[in-house]
Amino acid sequence: MTSSSSKKPSTTLKSDFRDAFDLNVQFPKYAEYHHNKLNQMIHIVFVPLILWTAMVWFANVPAFASWSLDAYLPLNLSLLLTLAYAGYYIILEPQTGLMFAPILLAMCSTANAFHRADLGGELSPNVAAGLLHASSWVFQFLGHGLAERRAPALFDNLLQALVLAPFFVFFELLFSVGYRPKMAAEFEKITVKRIAAWKASSKKD
């Protein structure tokens, strides 16, 4: 007979997989690390830059086929990354994901155009993207340290830090202009409780 303890890793894995596609789980987890308004604004600016510069780097991989939109969206790794992100976001929350998908495609198109651009001098598009990428991470860490006063989610949840963050800053931007107020209020209530629990736990430690 299999012991109950031997089932725990499998059960946890299944639970984590389900949670990855549950907005009600993922957004409050993200929001508790990004509740300070200044930190939110920093992330609204720099999270998209991190994704965009990654798209620039992925554009280094040659296109694996050609199609009618090669001039705007070549069939390369940058586009595959974009479609993967957009697909995940649409599964996670269809309405908002479909709103965000055209923005992601526009980011991918401009990233490919930037990759092909002649910037003049010795600064290549890849180096420029690298400088923007590194600077964006620095500003985010400053936002967490000086405004949020909490370590970034990067250290606790790579999925949120590297994949979900662009979608969630889009949510925060929409919430700030009155988008789906009932959802925003529900998430805020959960987030406040999570922050209170974290503060209580920190005091015990």
Side-chain angles (χ1 to χ4, degrees):
M1 179 181 292
T2 304
S3 66
S4 59
S5 60
S6 65
K7 295 182 181 179
K8 287 184 178 180
S10 176
T11 303
T12 301
L13 185 62
K14 290 179 181 178
S15 177
D16 289 344
F17 181 78
R18 286 195 301 269
D19 287 350
F21 294 91
D22 189 340
L23 184 70
N24 294 315
V25 172
Q26 294 299 330
F27 187 85
K29 281 185 179 180
Y30 174 86
E32 70 171 296
Y33 289 85
H34 307 87
H35 199 245
N36 177 274
K37 295 301 180 184
L38 176 58
N39 195 32
Q40 287 179 4
M41 291 304 301
I42 289 172
H43 281 66
I44 286 171
V45 173
F46 292 105
V47 164
L49 261 179
I50 288 173
L51 178 58
W52 182 81
T53 51
M55 291 176 178
V56 173
W57 290 334
F58 276 95
N60 283 288
V61 179
F64 51 83
S66 61
W67 68 324
S68 58
L69 296 178
D70 275 342
Y72 309 101
L73 290 168
L75 295 171
N76 57 17
L77 202 55
S78 182
L79 180 58
L80 288 182
L81 173 73
T82 302
L83 293 177
Y85 271 58
Y88 177 37
Y89 297 159
I90 290 169
I91 292 171
L92 190 64
E93 211 296 306
Q95 179 177 318
T96 315
L98 287 169
M99 291 169 62
F100 194 36
I103 297 173
L104 288 172
L105 289 171
M107 289 172 63
C108 180
S109 181
T110 58
N112 275 279
F114 184 80
H115 178 261
R116 296 190 299 265
D118 181 5
L119 302 182
E122 298 181 0
L123 186 65
S124 70
N126 284 323
V127 172
L131 293 173
L132 285 171
H133 192 89
S135 299
S136 297
W137 279 111
V138 169
F139 276 102
Q140 285 196 101
F141 279 110
L142 288 174
H144 279 283
L146 301 179
E148 200 75 47
R149 297 188 180 278
R150 184 175 185 180
L154 174 66
F155 299 121
D156 294 331
N157 193 322
L158 282 176
L159 175 68
Q160 288 187 1
L162 302 180
V163 180
L164 286 169
F167 194 35
F168 287 165
V169 297
F170 183 60
F171 260 108
E172 288 174 339
L173 188 59
L174 291 176
F175 285 157
S176 71
V177 295
Y179 177 71
R180 299 175 75 170
K182 183 178 179 181
M183 175 189 283
E186 289 175 353
F187 283 156
E188 175 66 12
K189 184 177 179 180
I190 297 170
T191 300
V192 169
K193 287 182 177 179
R194 292 183 67 94
I195 292 173
W198 169 72
K199 288 182 177 179
S201 176
S202 299
K203 288 180 179 179
K204 290 179 181 179
D205 296 339

